[in-house]
Amino acid sequence: MMTKKIWKNALIASCMIPTLVFGTPVFANTSAAGQVEVKVKIGVANATVNGSATPIEKPYATNTAKMIPLSLLTSAFGAKQQWDNQTQTITVSYGGKSMTLKAGNKNSTVNGKAVALPAAPEIKNGKTMVPIAVATQLGITVTENAQSGEIMLVGASQESNSQATTKLDSDLGKTKIGDSYMGWSMKYPTGLIKSYQSHEGDQISFKDNKDSYWLDISIFKDQPENMSNDGLVKWLTEDEYYTILSKGYVTEGSLSYAKSVTKDEDGYISENRAYKMGDKIFHVMLTVKDEADYKNPAKYRSFKDLLDSFVTSYNQADHSIKDLSNVENGYRWFDYEDFGLRVKVPVEWIKNDRNDYAHFYSEDHMEWLRIKVSSYNEGDTLDDWVAKHEQLYRELFVDKYLEVDSNIETTTVAGVTAKEREYETPDGVNMYPEHDIYLYKGKYKFYIEIGYNKNEDPAKIKARINTIKNSLSINEAKMNPSLGTIQDDDLFNRENVITVKDSKYKYSIDVPEYWKEDRSSNGEGFTTFVFDGGNFNVFPTPESYSEVRDGFLKILQEEKSEHFSIVKNERVTIQGVEGTHYVFHFEIAGVDIVREGYIFRKGKYTYLFGWNVKEVMNTEVLKKRIENALNSFKVLE
């Protein structure tokens, strides 16, 4: 579980993101209808809007474009904007046109059609700066006086509803927010914006649209149920590394909570509250940007009113609460937004924070869901893909430990033809059954792997697979227009070989390209190549062959036990010189490991080669690749 300290840092980082969009100045004399005329100059921190001056972030010029604040378009002309925190995308709507923008990316869309900007939007002092071409794309007329350097933007004022663009969502009549699954609710003031929500719903962040304060809520499960009031204060402050201005336990009427007030190095003030409910602790943190606002009695009353409204309960009958929970009948919706994919995941499964594919798993790791997306290549067929996947598994796992269902079913998933198949793969202790789904949608391949515990009720297993499968949808229109070619790493040619040279120890060796090299893990001269199920090591030393051999074998003898046995220890000729070949078996956490290697001297060094492989993955294909690597070894005199 994430600690409070790490979570607090993550919250602060996530809360800074929406400043790319909001915190917009209000321009004077902007009529609700009619023409709007805006004048700006490069390097001047003021704009003239219909004759009235107002401060703005300074426009500036890059090598390819002149950049202006996006707020000129939203506040002066009434363009509407929306922020998508998950995709980090801004959508600007004006005059019947909808344009998507992303900081650092020249690729944009106008009404769904791809448009290349002369420069990527940038963040300057917390504000989004865009090329003037954005205004032109939206239908605003742009002219420039070459002599004065003044840039004029002219367009119609469309009625602006800033509240609609900055509210948490478009639901009307919602005066409270909460989470029915996690069990909390509180007031929902106008202008409060959700900036982050974890998949599990245990971490959520908000900010106000004036960028003056942030509100962060985190829920910690499985906490001691008999914690004292003093213990709760300790829990709240023990990992604190900012200056603590006050701390203690507070009881006010029906409210009771642990409280601390802290100040960070930037001068931000945070009021932290911890509420205990059963085995959960609810941590509520309100961070005020300007210490003067926190000290202002009138402003603090509004902060306190918001904090005091927080309760560790959710009233299902109260329809004024906006439910932020994404839980439905024991499943949680997951949106893989860049790929337009939506799917249900069992609510108790944990989301793995990795970026190369979507991954969820049960607490005991016996059940899981993996979703991998890669590019579809012209001429590929589902049958070919399924066959290549089987070939990969047969290369990875020894046949007697691998179970492959010969039945390949043709079905319909996400509205397209799919192939489905069952496997059971080993880890050395357990067998893990999985239900694999292969499908194409547009330009992309979607591989869905559902792992399950075969000791569970078969009816429950089938129901879970069907729920996940039937909930899966893929909307091509919602795919990120920046998506490009995505290589399928599972189909990487594992026969490719590269030559690795060590200039210090004067040797070269040919190894499979898919092996990952690591020269830092075990000290000077020690090189490790990591692959599925094991690793291959090369270790040169100036010590004599007999010293290395005797020392190594002495260690092996001392390690002998019921979990460690020497299978082979013999003199051999290798690389044209005398050497020692050893094989031994050992066990780690119940997993049988085969360790094999050679010791020999050549040139200035004695070389110790060794490889560790899980027995269940010590395939003939892998053995041949290791043999080829050994035979390729050369001393570079």
Side-chain angles (χ1 to χ4, degrees):
M1 170 151 327
M2 186 180 290
T3 65
K4 296 193 294 296
K5 187 180 292 184
I6 295 172
W7 168 224
K8 184 178 289 189
N9 287 339
L11 286 172
I12 291 172
S14 70
C15 287
M16 297 302 288
I17 293 170
T19 62
L20 313 188
V21 186
F22 302 107
T24 306
V26 177
F27 291 112
N29 295 343
T30 302
S31 58
Q35 182 171 282
V36 177
E37 182 180 276
V38 178
K39 296 178 182 179
V40 295
K41 273 189 177 182
I42 300 300
V44 177
N46 283 290
T48 302
V49 181
N50 286 350
S52 296
T54 188
I56 61 169
E57 182 65 36
K58 286 182 185 179
Y60 59 91
T62 70
N63 292 332
T64 57
K66 292 177 179 177
M67 310 292 284
I68 60 173
L70 179 60
S71 56
L72 275 171
L73 310 182
T74 57
S75 289
F77 294 96
K80 296 180 182 179
Q81 62 183 13
Q82 289 182 321
W83 168 254
D84 189 320
N85 187 65
Q86 191 160 6
T87 63
Q88 305 286 286
T89 302
I90 305 166
T91 300
V92 183
S93 302
Y94 175 81
K97 293 184 178 181
S98 179
M99 188 172 190
T100 61
L101 303 168
K102 192 169 186 177
N105 195 330
K106 289 183 180 181
N107 295 320
S108 173
T109 64
V110 177
N111 290 346
K113 198 171 183 181
V115 172
L117 297 173
E122 298 177 344
I123 309 307
K124 191 84 168 177
N125 297 326
K127 306 298 181 186
T128 303
M129 306 295 289
V130 298
I132 292 178
V134 169
T136 305
Q137 289 288 345
L138 291 171
I140 296 170
T141 301
V142 178
T143 57
E144 184 173 357
N145 186 318
Q147 288 185 326
S148 67
E150 189 173 70
I151 301 169
M152 182 182 294
L153 298 88
V154 179
S157 172
Q158 78 175 11
E159 185 177 352
S160 176
N161 183 350
S162 61
Q163 181 174 326
T165 61
T166 58
K167 278 173 68 82
L168 181 64
D169 52 50
S170 59
D171 291 347
L172 299 176
K174 302 295 185 182
T175 59
K176 301 175 185 176
I177 49 175
D179 189 308
S180 59
Y181 182 75
M182 300 305 296
W184 65 267
S185 59
M186 65 182 300
K187 283 186 177 179
Y188 170 24
T190 300
L192 193 66
I193 307 158
K194 184 177 72 170
S195 57
Y196 172 77
Q197 184 175 7
S198 66
H199 172 74
E200 291 82 6
D202 58 349
Q203 302 161 6
I204 187 164
S205 302
F206 305 91
K207 71 182 293 292
D208 82 311
N209 60 358
K210 295 179 182 178
D211 198 27
S212 62
Y213 73 88
W214 307 299
L215 181 72
D216 307 308
I217 299 168
S218 53
I219 298 95
F220 296 85
K221 302 176 184 178
D222 302 322
Q223 300 298 313
E225 296 190 30
N226 57 345
M227 188 180 292
S228 67
N229 294 346
D230 289 343
L232 190 58
V233 174
K234 179 178 180 292
W235 180 96
L236 181 63
T237 58
E238 64 183 347
D239 291 331
E240 188 62 70
Y241 52 82
Y242 296 137
T243 302
I244 298 177
L245 303 180
S246 67
K247 66 177 180 178
Y249 196 83
V250 176
T251 301
E252 292 179 344
S254 61
L255 298 176
S256 60
Y257 49 87
K259 175 184 173 180
S260 72
V261 178
T262 64
K263 184 176 181 178
D264 69 11
E265 62 268 19
D266 295 318
Y268 295 179
I269 298 292
S270 294
E271 181 168 325
N272 298 270
R273 296 186 179 188
Y275 302 82
K276 189 77 173 62
M277 178 58 68
D279 66 347
K280 291 180 184 175
I281 294 179
F282 296 80
H283 179 197
V284 182
M285 179 173 70
L286 184 137
T287 300
V288 182
K289 190 174 184 179
D290 190 340
E291 186 175 357
D293 286 346
Y294 187 79
K295 292 179 177 179
N296 184 308
K299 290 188 176 181
Y300 179 72
R301 278 196 295 271
S302 66
F303 295 145
K304 187 175 187 302
D305 181 62
L306 178 60
L307 288 169
D308 286 350
S309 73
F310 183 87
V311 293
T312 55
S313 62
Y314 186 99
N315 184 358
Q316 294 281 3
D318 188 348
H319 299 297
S320 68
I321 304 177
K322 166 60 182 175
D323 192 358
L324 302 178
S325 172
N326 58 1
V327 176
E328 183 180 296
N329 299 325
Y331 287 82
R332 196 186 296 277
W333 282 103
F334 167 69
D335 291 294
Y336 209 5
E337 293 193 347
D338 284 324
F339 302 104
L341 184 147
R342 196 162 198 247
V343 67
K344 281 183 176 180
V345 182
V347 70
E348 68 276 7
W349 286 9
I350 302 162
K351 185 176 184 293
N352 189 348
D353 291 326
R354 59 182 302 140
N355 299 317
D356 51 344
Y357 63 88
H359 180 205
F360 307 85
Y361 57 90
S362 61
E363 191 171 356
D364 62 4
H365 294 265
M366 297 294 287
E367 301 168 289
W368 68 86
L369 170 66
R370 294 189 183 101
I371 302 173
K372 292 185 178 182
V373 184
S374 56
S375 290
Y376 166 76
N377 297 313
E378 195 69 36
D380 283 354
T381 68
L382 288 173
D383 288 331
D384 290 341
W385 185 13
V386 172
K388 289 176 182 177
H389 196 242
E390 178 181 343
Q391 180 184 349
L392 171 64
Y393 272 25
R394 293 197 182 279
E395 286 186 9
L396 287 175
F397 303 105
V398 176
D399 278 347
K400 68 178 181 179
Y401 299 110
L402 173 68
E403 294 189 17
V404 181
D405 191 341
S406 59
N407 180 42
I408 303 172
E409 192 175 358
T410 302
T411 61
T412 299
V413 179
V416 296
T417 300
K419 297 289 184 178
E420 298 187 46
R421 192 178 203 181
E422 297 272 338
Y423 285 97
E424 274 196 62
T425 60
D427 71 349
V429 178
N430 299 304
M431 293 293 291
Y432 293 88
E434 62 185 58
H435 185 93
D436 295 349
I437 303 172
Y438 312 78
L439 61 92
Y440 299 142
K441 188 85 169 184
K443 298 179 181 179
Y444 296 94
K445 299 157 49 178
F446 292 82
Y447 169 69
I448 297 95
E449 182 181 295
I450 306 170
Y452 58 89
N453 186 345
K454 64 180 178 181
N455 295 322
E456 195 176 353
D457 180 0
K460 287 185 178 180
I461 294 171
K462 184 177 180 180
R464 179 173 295 137
I465 292 173
N466 285 337
T467 297
I468 294 172
K469 184 173 69 172
N470 294 335
S471 71
L472 184 71
S473 63
I474 303 169
N475 188 337
E476 290 182 75
K478 291 186 176 181
M479 288 183 178
N480 189 332
S482 297
L483 282 176
T485 301
I486 305 173
Q487 178 178 293
D488 186 348
D489 292 337
D490 287 345
L491 301 183
F492 186 85
N493 186 350
R494 295 181 170 228
E495 298 305 320
N496 291 344
V497 171
I498 57 174
T499 300
V500 176
K501 294 183 179 181
D502 190 308
S503 58
K504 181 174 182 178
Y505 292 99
K506 305 297 183 183
Y507 72 81
S508 71
I509 187 169
D510 297 340
V511 299
E513 191 175 15
Y514 76 91
W515 288 8
K516 181 180 179 181
E517 183 181 356
D518 179 5
R519 297 195 182 203
S520 62
S521 59
N522 288 289
E524 177 70 26
F526 199 104
T527 300
T528 298
F529 299 94
V530 181
F531 47 81
D532 298 300
N535 55 63
F536 180 93
N537 310 301
V538 184
F539 180 53
T541 174
E543 295 181 38
S544 69
Y545 164 69
S546 58
E547 286 178 303
V548 176
R549 180 197 63 202
D550 295 344
F552 183 73
L553 293 178
K554 182 180 178 182
I555 293 172
L556 294 188
Q557 293 293 338
E558 291 173 351
E559 290 289 334
K560 285 180 68 175
S561 68
E562 62 177 325
H563 300 296
F564 185 100
S565 61
I566 300 174
V567 176
K568 186 177 290 187
N569 172 20
E570 60 182 4
R571 301 289 179 90
V572 296
T573 298
I574 181 171
Q575 291 275 324
V577 297
E578 177 189 359
T580 299
H581 178 210
Y582 62 87
V583 180
F584 58 90
H585 290 182
F586 61 99
E587 182 184 303
I588 297 179
V591 178
D592 291 327
I593 309 292
V594 178
R595 167 81 181 187
E596 185 171 358
Y598 292 88
I599 302 169
F600 61 91
R601 187 171 185 86
K602 205 163 187 182
K604 298 178 181 179
Y605 298 102
T606 299
Y607 294 90
L608 197 157
F609 285 84
W611 53 97
N612 304 296
V613 184
K614 288 183 179 181
E615 186 178 352
V616 296
M617 301 181 77
N618 196 22
T619 63
E620 295 304 316
V621 172
L622 179 59
K623 290 177 183 178
K624 185 64 177 176
R625 288 172 180 159
I626 291 173
E627 181 185 351
N628 290 342
L630 281 169
N631 292 336
S632 74
F633 178 80
K634 294 177 183 177
V635 173
L636 307 175
E637 295 294 350

